[in-house]
Amino acid sequence: MTPQDIQLLARRLDRLMRRLNAALHPRAQAMDKEKVGALGGMVLMELADRGPLPLAVLSAEMGRDKSQMTRLVQMLEGKGHVARSADAKDRRVSLIALTPRGEAFVRDVEMILGEVLEEILSPLGEAERRAFLANLGKL
Amino acid sequence: MTPQDIQLLARRLDRLMRRLNAALHPRAQAMDKEKVGALGGMVLMELADRGPLPLAVLSAEMGRDKSQMTRLVQMLEGKGHVARSADAKDRRVSLIALTPRGEAFVRDVEMILGEVLEEILSPLGEAERRAFLANLGKL
DNA sequence: TATTGTTATACTCTATAACTATA
DNA sequence: TATAGTTATAGAGTATAACAATA
């Protein structure tokens, strides 16, 4: 890895993330209506994937502080995408689950994110995409 | 691309960027001393690579608003990494150039960023790294 | 009129620390 | 004592709009 490679890698990663953000913002009418943000969308997808989870698990999985997760969940709850229920075994934890409205919304999110990723990944062939995703998984 | 693939890709990209940030912050004593931030480091590398540039070019290349670039350059100027000179041909533009101090610092930045990327990329073999960088370049 | 760069302002994302209620 | 979650607050990073100087 030469200094040029290093700079290239940093720049390309930065650009990719900014392209993703830029593509999601204006395009995602359905997401913008709801204004859940990128992290909000990821939390909803995580819940769709794994079922009800405690807040501490969510914050660990997403790599964000639990205080941030508290506010995020409150926001999602306020918009009706998520509901909480007490955990019978440990009364400190409240389980966070998708509502039917949240389930419908998360399908929109996945569809829109899918279109945007499809567009961004379009320069790569099928094999290259798989290799890219696999390499990303190892990192 | 199934919904699972989409979610995976989003999550993995998010994690990679957060790992990069997390690895840079505490580790980079030399960078932390100067507190130029990630974007500041990238601007210095860009200047090291391409020589003096107008602010408008910098803001376009880095994909950030020019008002943000104004403040960033003022900060770098205050720390002595960068100096401005008037453009003889167009008196509206002021060219931004590395100072000798900035040149020395940018080598530190590249070294530290190199170590961090080396560590993060360590799960990939040489061929995989090249493929990853190449695929990133196509996006 | 259009463009370079500046200032002022506000909004989002994030981390830290102090707190509560349970365990 | 330790853990789950909350609140308050502060700091980055970013975008928008209004502006001055030059083209």
Side-chain angles (χ1 to χ4, degrees), chain A residues 16-26 38 120:
Chain A
L16 179 58
M17 295 312 286
R18 294 187 64 77
R19 269 192 70 194
L20 255 176
N21 266 334
L24 278 174
H25 256 269
I120 284 179

Side-chain angles (χ1 to χ4, degrees), chain B residues 29-43:
Chain B
Q29 303 297 350
M31 288 176 80
D32 243 33
K33 266 198 321 238
E34 302 282 346
K35 290 223 204 301
V36 298
L39 182 57
M42 288 202 298
V43 164

Side-chain angles (χ1 to χ4, degrees), chain A residues 9-35:
Chain A
L9 186 49
R11 286 273 299 284
R12 283 175 180 176
L13 275 175
D14 182 60
R15 282 201 181 152
L16 179 58
M17 295 312 286
R18 294 187 64 77
R19 269 192 70 194
L20 255 176
N21 266 334
L24 278 174
H25 256 269
R27 142 100 72 128
Q29 303 299 349
M31 289 176 80
D32 244 33
K33 265 197 324 236
E34 303 282 348
K35 290 222 202 305

Side-chain angles (χ1 to χ4, degrees), chain B residues 37-39 64-65 67-68 71 90-92:
Chain B
L39 182 57
R64 265 77 172 189
D65 190 85
S67 69
Q68 189 184 349
R71 277 190 310 281
D90 184 338
R91 289 199 340 251
R92 287 175 305 183

Side-chain angles (χ1 to χ4, degrees), chain A residues 101-133:
Chain A
R101 180 171 149 76
E103 281 170 22
F105 180 56
V106 84
R107 283 193 291 272
D108 286 349
V109 169
E110 276 169 350
M111 208 189 64
I112 292 165
L113 184 57
E115 284 172 15
V116 168
L117 285 179
E118 195 68 45
E119 187 181 312
I120 284 179
L121 292 177
S122 63
L124 299 185
E126 189 54 38
E128 287 173 320
R129 285 185 202 193
R130 276 199 306 274
F132 184 68
L133 186 56

Side-chain angles (χ1 to χ4, degrees), chain B residues 46-74:
Chain B
E46 179 84 8
L47 291 173
D49 214 42
R50 302 190 40 197
L53 294 174
L55 187 139
V57 171
L58 271 183
S59 88
E61 296 285 323
M62 313 307 282
R64 265 77 172 189
D65 190 85
K66 59 194 172 129
S67 69
Q68 189 184 349
M69 203 49 68
T70 291
R71 277 190 310 281
L72 183 65
V73 166
Q74 286 169 344

